[in-house]
């Protein structure tokens, strides 16, 4: 079902409830691999034709769009006035506004800019019974009462179908630059990041054990990639200060400029969904390869180095390879594991068991973002539900008592 109006979305959900059908909201379909496999699936409700710009007030710095508009299209509109929605999810041309909110996608700029929850000020949603609800408004100062709109951030379309969103926006940075620092180990890189760079205000701060633009090359130590943004004088000051700090620490430093800086920034943004470890590119066939396991691990920032070191040691013993990219300032580590050619994919099951034990000891959590579809039923992609699950289950039962929307896709089989 391809909806072209709010009324069609409402009517589809109302009828689905009457006939006890399960509905999967779909944008451009690029991130349907995230989350668990739904228990039921009867209707795909496509929203990509609901893609209009509803209201844009450059002087008030707010914008309202329908949920099916791609993020890249919104950024192009805002860019005409030197503004942007300060979020950099992977593959923005394949992510709709509704998908951005439902899966809570973000990128390296999360360190300095925040997540979608920080910019969402209003939302229009169709509930599973077909009724339409609104939360928030179209002015930044509208913060009275409980912010219901944020309930839908990261809910994976299990509470309602997002049809329209209002965001506050910001001016685009006047100047940007990337500085790459080389270290022999993750521990040395993270010590520098947490003790030296913390005094600056990086736009992003990424840790990687590979060249993000050329991940096929064998790892050689770790890289800290420091993004700088702001007015030109501010960027220039931070680059000079970083050069001084790198010299004092005795580490090699590269200033990445022009097209090379642009290509590197895009590679960092797209790492969670780009080609498998040991290959190059963002080919759909490669990204679905059964020889790749992709995970997202959340830790404290000062645990990132230990995690990377222990995982590198373990996968080496197992004959596997791993490429990391970590949001060094946020403690989020994206990992891509690859098997040798011809090795059975079910090796990933035991590796995942080991990873969960390690992450549990570190009081973090790990989510499987991509795995061979044949293995998906053998692992819980979300892992242990945690203490918040009882509340989440009550919300689902309250919002969607008939289990119409994406049943089974979210945490704990919600």
């Amino acid at each position: 079902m391809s909806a072209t109006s709010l009324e069609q979305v409402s009517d589809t959900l109302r009828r689905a409830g009457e006939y006890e059908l399960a509905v999967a909201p779909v944008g451009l379909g690029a991130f349907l691999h995230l989350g668990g496999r739904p228990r039921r699936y009867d209707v795909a409700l496509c929203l990509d034709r609901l893609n209009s710009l509803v209201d844009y007030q450059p002087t008030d710095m707010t914008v309202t769009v329908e949920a099916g508009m791609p993020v890249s299209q919104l950024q192009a509109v805002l860019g005409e006035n030197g503004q942007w929605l300060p979020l950099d999810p992977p593959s923005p041309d394949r992510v709709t506004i509704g998908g951005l909110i439902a899966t809570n996608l973000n990128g390296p700029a999360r360190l300095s800019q925040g997540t979608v929850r920080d910019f969402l000020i209003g939302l229009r949603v169709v509930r599973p019974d077909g009724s339409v609800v609104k939360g928030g408004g179209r002015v930044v100062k509208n913060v009275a009462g409980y912010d219901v709109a944020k309930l839908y951030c990261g809910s994976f379309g299990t509470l309602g179908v997002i049809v329209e969103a209002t965001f506050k926006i910001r001016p685009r940075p006047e100047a940007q630059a990337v500085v790459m620092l080389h270290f022999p180990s993750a521990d040395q890189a993270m010590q520098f990041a947490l003790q030296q760079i913390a005094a600056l205000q990086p736009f992003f701060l990424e840790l990687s054990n590979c060249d993000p633009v050329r991940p096929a090359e064998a790892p050689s130590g770790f890289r800290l990639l420091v993004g700088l943004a702001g007015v030109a004088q501010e960027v220039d000051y931070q680059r000079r200060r970083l050069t001084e700090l790198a010299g004092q620490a005795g580490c090699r430093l590269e200033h990445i400029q022009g097209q090379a800086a642009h290509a590197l920034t895009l590679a960092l943004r797209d790492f969670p969904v780009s080609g498998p470890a040991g290959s190059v590119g963002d080919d759909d066939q490669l990204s679905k390869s059964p020889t790749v396991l992709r995970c997202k691990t959340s830790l404290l920032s000062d645990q990132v180095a230990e995690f990377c070191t222990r995982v590198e040691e373990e996968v080496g013993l197992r004959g596997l390879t791993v490429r990391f990219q970590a949001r060094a300032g946020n403690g989020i580590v994206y990992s891509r594991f690859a098997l040798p050619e011809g090795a059975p994919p079910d090796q990933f099951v035991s590796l995942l068991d080991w990873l969960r034990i390690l992450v549990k000891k570190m009081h973090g959590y790990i989510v499987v973002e991509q795995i061979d579809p044949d293995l998906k039923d053998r692992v819980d992609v979300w892992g242990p539900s945690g203490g918040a699950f009882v509340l989440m289950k009550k919300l689902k039962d309250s919002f969607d008592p008939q289990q119409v929307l994406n049943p089974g896709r979210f945490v704990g089989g919600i």
Side-chain angles (χ1 to χ4, degrees):
M1 170 67 191
S2 182
T4 58
S5 68
L6 172 65
E7 291 72 23
Q8 287 184 348
V9 176
S10 175
D11 187 58
T12 299
L13 291 181
R14 182 176 55 78
R15 288 175 177 270
E18 290 174 357
Y19 292 96
E20 298 183 349
L21 301 176
V23 177
V26 178
L28 294 172
F31 289 85
L32 290 178
H33 60 279
L34 298 179
R37 195 192 298 273
R39 288 194 304 275
R40 295 189 297 130
Y41 164 61
D42 300 306
V43 178
L45 179 55
C46 300
L47 300 158
D48 58 314
R49 297 171 68 186
L50 276 176
N51 56 10
S52 299
L53 180 68
V54 178
D55 184 63
Y56 176 28
Q57 301 294 332
T59 54
D60 291 340
M61 304 191 77
T62 62
V63 65
T64 301
V65 293
E66 290 186 324
M69 177 181 285
V71 172
S72 59
Q73 185 177 338
L74 173 60
Q75 301 288 30
V77 172
L78 301 177
E80 294 175 0
N81 290 294
Q83 298 175 335
W84 74 314
L85 176 63
L87 302 169
D88 55 347
S91 304
D93 56 331
R94 300 164 61 198
V95 179
T96 62
I97 293 299
L100 174 78
I101 299 168
T103 55
N104 196 23
L105 291 172
N106 51 70
R110 170 179 175 157
L111 175 67
S112 60
Q113 305 299 302
T115 68
V116 68
R117 292 171 56 91
D118 299 306
F119 297 95
L120 184 66
I121 59 175
L123 203 63
R124 187 190 297 268
V125 176
V126 182
R127 297 184 63 173
D129 63 0
S131 61
V132 181
V133 296
K134 286 183 64 178
R138 293 186 181 177
V139 292
V140 173
K141 64 182 179 182
N142 187 350
V143 294
Y146 185 74
D147 197 347
V148 176
K150 290 181 171 51
L151 273 179
Y152 295 90
C153 297
S155 64
F156 277 74
T158 56
L159 300 179
V161 176
I162 299 165
V163 291
E164 183 182 292
T166 300
F167 300 99
K168 58 182 178 181
I169 53 181
R170 287 179 177 167
R172 282 184 177 275
E174 175 185 295
Q176 295 191 50
V178 180
V179 177
M180 183 186 299
L181 302 101
H182 298 260
F183 296 87
S185 70
D187 186 56
Q188 289 169 293
M190 285 304 299
Q191 281 191 34
F192 186 86
L194 298 175
Q195 296 173 8
Q196 304 296 332
I197 298 179
L200 302 176
Q201 293 182 326
F203 186 68
F204 62 74
L205 180 60
E206 300 284 294
L207 174 75
S208 179
N209 71 337
C210 64
D211 182 339
V213 181
R214 292 176 289 276
E217 295 181 0
S220 56
F222 277 78
R223 297 165 171 81
L224 268 181
L225 301 120
V226 188
L228 306 173
V231 298
Q233 295 89 338
E234 177 187 4
V235 171
D236 185 57
Y237 165 78
Q238 295 209 58
R239 284 203 309 181
R240 285 188 280 107
R241 182 62 182 145
L242 261 178
T243 302
E244 293 173 3
L245 293 172
Q248 294 168 6
C251 66
R252 185 161 65 89
L253 174 146
E254 295 178 67
H255 292 283
I256 315 296
Q257 300 177 334
Q259 285 300 314
H262 181 65
L264 177 58
T265 301
L266 297 186
L268 292 170
R269 182 198 69 187
D270 292 341
F271 181 88
V273 295
S274 58
S279 73
V280 179
D282 186 15
D283 181 86
D284 278 348
Q285 192 63 37
L286 288 176
S287 68
K288 296 172 183 173
S289 168
T291 62
V292 176
L293 168 69
R294 303 166 190 269
C295 296
K296 175 183 176 182
T297 306
S298 298
L299 302 162
L300 297 176
S301 293
D302 61 4
Q303 296 174 316
V304 169
E306 179 186 355
F307 175 81
C308 292
T309 301
R310 295 186 65 176
V311 172
E312 275 195 326
E313 293 172 353
E314 181 66 20
V315 300
L317 294 173
R318 292 171 182 255
L320 311 179
T321 59
V322 61
R323 301 289 188 271
F324 297 112
Q325 185 176 308
R327 309 271 185 265
N330 298 115
I332 298 170
V333 185
Y334 290 94
S335 310
R336 299 202 308 237
F337 302 92
L339 293 168
E341 187 174 352
D346 60 3
Q347 286 191 36
F348 286 141
V349 177
S350 63
L351 173 63
L352 188 56
D353 289 340
W354 182 87
L355 287 167
R356 290 209 191 280
I357 293 171
L358 172 64
V359 172
K360 182 178 180 180
K361 289 179 179 176
M362 301 175 82
H363 304 289
Y365 64 90
I366 184 168
V367 174
V368 177
E369 295 205 332
Q370 181 107 32
I371 193 170
D372 179 359
D374 292 337
L375 298 179
K376 201 161 190 177
D377 290 332
R378 294 173 56 184
V379 303
D380 179 356
V381 299
W382 293 106
S385 304
F389 177 72
V390 173
L391 178 59
M392 296 163 70
K393 182 70 167 55
K394 284 183 178 178
L395 277 174
K396 173 64 175 176
D397 291 342
S398 173
F399 279 61
D400 187 12
Q402 291 184 272
Q403 307 289 302
V404 171
L405 289 171
N406 272 339
R409 191 176 176 195
F410 199 33
V411 176
I414 287 177

